[in-house]
């Protein structure tokens, strides 16, 4: 049985530098992004996601994680 506080995501991309692209230019050196369906559910330090239940995980291996950015050049 799941509880209301249980956090779930279809996809978790972690172990990368998250560029939030917010107005402050926030960067998270060891960050993660949780995705549910076609929406970003949360992003933050990797430690914040240790208790999440995820369907699929991708290790960014220290690369960039750019949530919400569409790269039209590649």
């Amino acid at each position: 049985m799941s509880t209301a506080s249980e956090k779930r995501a279809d996809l978790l991309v972690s172990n990368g530098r998250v560029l939030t692209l917010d107005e402050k230019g926030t960067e998270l050196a060891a960050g993660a992004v949780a995705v549910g369906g076609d929406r970003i559910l949360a992003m933050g330090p990797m430690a914040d996601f240790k208790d999440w239940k995820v369907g699929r995980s991708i290790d960014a291996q220290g690369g960039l994680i750019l949530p919400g950015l569409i790269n039209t050049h590649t």
Side-chain angles (χ1 to χ4, degrees):
M1 175 190 251
S2 65
T3 64
S5 64
E6 189 173 72
K7 297 178 180 171
R8 294 181 175 270
D10 297 326
L11 172 66
L12 182 68
V13 183
S14 61
N15 190 29
R17 177 175 295 280
V18 177
L19 302 181
T20 66
L21 305 176
D22 67 5
E23 62 279 351
K24 297 176 188 174
T26 305
E27 293 184 23
L28 303 169
V33 176
V35 179
D38 62 353
R39 299 197 183 266
I40 296 171
L41 301 175
M43 66 178 118
M46 283 176 39
D48 290 355
F49 297 90
K50 65 179 182 166
D51 295 331
W52 280 59
K53 303 236 185 290
V54 297
R56 179 176 173 219
S57 295
I58 296 175
D59 183 345
Q61 300 178 355
L64 290 177
I65 303 172
L66 300 165
L69 178 71
I70 299 171
N71 182 349
T72 61
H73 297 286
T74 55

